[in-house]
Amino acid sequence: MVRSFKKVGASPGTAGAIAAAATAAVVTALWVQHRARKAERENPPAGRFVEVDGVRLHYIEKGKGAAVVLLHGNTVFLQDFIGSGLFDRLAEHHRVIAFDRPGFGYSERPRDRLWTAQAQAVLLQQALAQIDVEQPVLVGHSWGTLVALGLAVSFPAYARGLVLISGYYYPTARLDVALTVPAAVPLLGDALRYTVSPLTGRLLLKRTVKEMFAPAPVPEDFFDVLPREMMLRPMQIRAEAEDAAFMVPAAAQFRHHYPDLALPVSIFAGAGDRVVDVKSHSARLHCDLPHSTLTVSRGAGHMVHYVLADEIVDAINLMADHTDAK
C-alpha cells in the first residue's frame, strides 16, 4: 500500500497574505514615525530642560512670587494650562512652573523604571529642588492629581497646599483602563503604538476631547494650542497607556494616607464629568479631608479648569497669601 504525504506549510495564498500584512505594518510604522517627527518640527519645545537622575524634563516658567507648580493629566501635556488660561493668569502674581510629565510633550520616559505616580512625584521633587522651587502650591488636573498627592505623601512638609482638579482618588473598576493597557505591554505595545494605536487615535481623538469637556463645549482653539499630532506620537501613546495601568494602584496606595494630610486642600470638579465620577471621588475625598474645600460646577465636565479658572486662581492666591502671612 502506497501512501502519499503533502508537505506541511503555509499555502501560497497564506504566505502572500502574511507578507502583505507585514509590508503594510512596516509602511504604517514609517508613516507614523514621519508624522511624529513632523509634529515635533512644527511644534518645538516652548521652555527649558532640566536633567534629573538621567531623565530630561521639559518645563515652562513665568512670573515672580510664591511658587505654583502645574501638573497636567493624561492625553494632554503642559500646554493644557496655557489653553485654560491658568498659566498666564497665575504668573501675574506668582512664579509658575508647568512640567511635561515623563513621556508627555518633550519630557523623556526611559524604560529603566516603572513610572508610577510615586516615581514621577519623586523625580519632579528633585527637579523642583534643582531649579530652586521651595514651598510651592501644587496644582494637579486628572492624573496629575495623583502626582501632586504623591509629592504631598512623600514630602509632607514641602508644599504650601494642594489644588486638586477632576481627580481620581479611590480604586474603582475602569473599562477604559482595560482597553488602553495593551499599548503599555512591551513588544505588543511597541507594535500597537506604531501601527494600530495612532490610526485609531486619529479617529477617536476629537470625540475623546469632546467627552472630556462635556457638557461644556470644546474651545475653538484647543487643537491649535495642543496640536493633535503631538498627542498621537508613539512615545506619548506609551506614556498614556502606562499611566492608565498605574492609575488604580496609585489610588489604592494613596487612599490610606489621606487622613495624614495636614496641608490645605482645595478640590474642584465638574458635575457633568464623564471621565471620573464626582460623587465617588471628589465629594468622597472632601468628606475624608475635613480641612478641604469642594467646588463643583454644574456647567462643566472633566476639563473644569477651563470653566472655573477664576475660582481656581482665587484658591491658589489664598493658599499663597495665608502661608506668606505666617
Side-chain angles (χ1 to χ4, degrees):
M1 182 176 178
V2 179
R3 296 180 180 179
S4 61
F5 296 89
K6 292 183 178 180
K7 186 176 180 181
V8 177
S11 66
T14 302
I18 293 173
T23 301
V26 171
V27 171
T28 302
L30 291 173
W31 180 79
V32 167
Q33 188 175 46
H34 165 73
R35 297 293 295 182
R37 289 176 176 173
K38 183 174 184 289
E40 291 174 352
R41 287 196 304 270
E42 294 176 350
N43 303 278
R48 309 171 186 173
F49 290 89
V50 57
E51 185 168 329
V52 182
D53 196 19
V55 182
R56 198 165 179 245
L57 296 173
H58 177 238
Y59 71 98
I60 56 175
E61 178 179 345
K62 186 178 180 181
K64 296 180 180 180
V68 179
V69 175
L70 306 177
L71 302 168
H72 65 80
N74 209 338
T75 304
V76 297
F77 39 97
L78 66 77
Q79 273 83 351
D80 181 48
F81 290 113
I82 295 176
S84 66
L86 280 179
F87 183 81
D88 286 331
R89 294 203 36 202
L90 287 167
E92 293 175 7
H93 303 289
H94 304 287
R95 179 190 179 192
V96 188
I97 302 99
F99 278 96
D100 279 330
R101 292 191 296 101
F104 295 85
Y106 279 99
S107 288
E108 296 177 341
R109 193 180 180 106
R111 282 180 154 163
D112 60 353
R113 71 202 75 178
L114 296 177
W115 287 103
T116 62
Q118 194 71 35
Q120 293 188 38
V122 170
L123 187 79
L124 285 169
Q125 196 281 329
Q126 293 174 326
L128 290 168
Q130 192 166 316
I131 61 175
D132 299 319
V133 175
E134 298 179 353
Q135 293 288 292
V137 174
L138 300 174
V139 183
H141 171 249
S142 192
W143 213 96
T145 61
L146 292 171
V147 182
L149 285 166
L151 277 158
V153 167
S154 296
F155 310 96
Y158 181 66
R160 293 172 181 253
L162 289 176
V163 175
L164 305 175
I165 307 167
S166 302
Y168 175 89
Y169 310 114
Y170 299 91
T172 56
R174 300 280 305 198
L175 177 61
D176 56 335
V177 170
L179 296 174
T180 306
V181 163
V185 178
L187 299 180
L188 171 62
D190 293 335
L192 290 174
R193 64 194 180 93
Y194 276 94
T195 54
V196 177
S197 296
L199 299 181
T200 56
R202 277 175 174 79
L203 296 174
L204 298 176
L205 184 58
K206 188 174 181 179
R207 177 182 174 184
T208 298
V209 171
K210 186 176 180 180
E211 287 290 298
M212 288 161 56
F213 275 93
V218 179
E220 292 184 1
D221 64 346
F222 181 79
F223 287 112
D224 295 326
V225 180
L226 289 96
R228 69 185 68 211
E229 291 297 330
M230 290 291 289
M231 291 185 269
L232 294 169
R233 294 171 302 151
M235 179 184 74
Q236 183 147 326
I237 291 173
R238 176 168 72 88
E240 293 169 4
E242 289 178 353
D243 276 6
F246 291 132
M247 183 173 68
V248 178
Q253 175 190 357
F254 293 148
R255 63 178 297 187
H256 302 294
H257 295 277
Y258 297 156
D260 301 325
L261 293 176
L263 71 176
V265 180
S266 291
I267 305 166
F268 292 88
D273 196 328
R274 299 178 184 177
V275 179
V276 180
D277 182 71
V278 175
K279 183 177 179 181
S280 301
H281 293 278
S282 293
R284 182 178 173 186
L285 181 65
H286 176 52
C287 291
D288 287 347
L289 297 176
H291 52 276
S292 67
T293 62
L294 173 63
T295 304
V296 179
S297 171
R298 294 186 179 277
H302 195 62
M303 305 296 276
V304 70
H305 51 305
Y306 283 74
V307 176
L308 293 181
D310 290 342
E311 291 83 350
I312 293 170
V313 169
D314 288 343
I316 294 168
N317 289 340
L318 283 173
M319 286 185 184
D321 293 343
H322 176 71
T323 308
D324 287 338
K326 291 183 177 180

